Amino acid sequence: MERLVIGEVLKPQGIRGELKIKTFTDFPEDVKAFGTVYIDDIAYKILSFRVGNDGAAYLGLRGIPDRNAAELFRGKKVEGNREDAPALEEGQYYIVDIIGLSCETEEGEVLGTVKDITNLASDVYTIEKAGKNILFPAVKGVVVKVDVANGKLIVNKTRFDEVAVI
């Protein structure tokens, strides 16, 4: 069963084993839809969930009874089963589906392979070509088409050249 990385544990919260999570979903509430999350390939049922004023998700998980136990999870990735993920609207994609795509111009020039995506005000994609990293914002006008089925991320060469950072 395929899993998606849906967040990262920032720190323990309180004395009852609650975890503060930085979510990688569009909305922190989406994490609750998973019901069960995985940390280090171990399943944990979500017992409690809330979103803080800071936009972080706070999870109480079965098997993490106190702050000492929660401390061991600091910095770990939180995954969920893809089949439990909320449905995406047209034009939305999971990060896992974009990483590994060939980044190409509309003319077919290969610019590199998508290696990483950083969530900021606009997603920043990192592509790699010949051992060099190139970063660019995935904004309208730069990204023309995401073609997951054919393994391609198509960009406008002119706009890409204006915003890419080598």
Side-chain angles (χ1 to χ4, degrees), residues 82 92-105 109-117 125-129 134 136 138 143-155 160:
R82 185 183 192 108
Q92 291 183 316
Y93 304 92
Y94 288 113
I95 290 173
V96 70
D97 294 333
I98 296 175
I99 292 177
L101 295 182
S102 173
C103 182
E104 303 178 10
T105 66
E109 176 189 353
V110 176
L111 301 174
T113 303
V114 180
K115 292 294 180 189
D116 193 23
I117 297 175
Y125 288 15
T126 302
I127 59 173
E128 182 183 4
K129 184 173 185 180
I134 302 167
F136 68 95
V143 176
V144 175
K145 181 179 180 183
V146 177
D147 187 353
V148 174
N150 292 309
K152 295 180 181 181
L153 175 74
I154 309 298
V155 296
F160 178 86

Side-chain angles (χ1 to χ4, degrees), residues 78-95:
V78 179
E79 298 178 322
N81 287 325
R82 185 183 192 108
E83 66 185 25
D84 296 335
L88 296 175
E89 295 180 20
E90 188 173 334
Q92 291 183 316
Y93 304 92
Y94 288 113
I95 290 173

Side-chain angles (χ1 to χ4, degrees), residues 40-133:
D40 289 339
D41 286 327
I42 298 172
Y44 295 92
K45 182 173 176 37
I46 298 175
L47 298 176
S48 66
F49 175 87
R50 64 186 173 90
V51 177
N53 294 336
D54 55 2
Y58 294 85
L59 299 177
L61 303 176
R62 176 172 286 142
I64 305 176
D66 57 35
R67 185 176 185 88
N68 290 337
E71 184 63 47
L72 301 174
F73 293 85
R74 188 185 293 262
K76 297 198 181 266
K77 299 290 185 218
V78 179
E79 298 178 322
N81 287 325
R82 185 183 192 108
E83 66 185 25
D84 296 335
L88 296 175
E89 295 180 20
E90 188 173 334
Q92 291 183 316
Y93 304 92
Y94 288 113
I95 290 173
V96 70
D97 294 333
I98 296 175
I99 292 177
L101 295 182
S102 173
C103 182
E104 303 178 10
T105 66
E106 294 168 285
E107 294 75 33
E109 176 189 353
V110 176
L111 301 174
T113 303
V114 180
K115 292 294 180 189
D116 193 23
I117 297 175
T118 304
N119 300 103
L120 299 172
S122 295
D123 288 341
V124 175
Y125 288 15
T126 302
I127 59 173
E128 182 183 4
K129 184 173 185 180
K132 290 186 178 180
N133 286 337

Side-chain angles (χ1 to χ4, degrees), residues 6 27-36 46 48-50 59:
I6 58 174
F27 305 100
E29 299 82 15
D30 289 345
V31 171
K32 187 177 182 181
F34 288 89
T36 297
I46 298 175
S48 66
F49 175 87
R50 64 186 173 90
L59 299 177

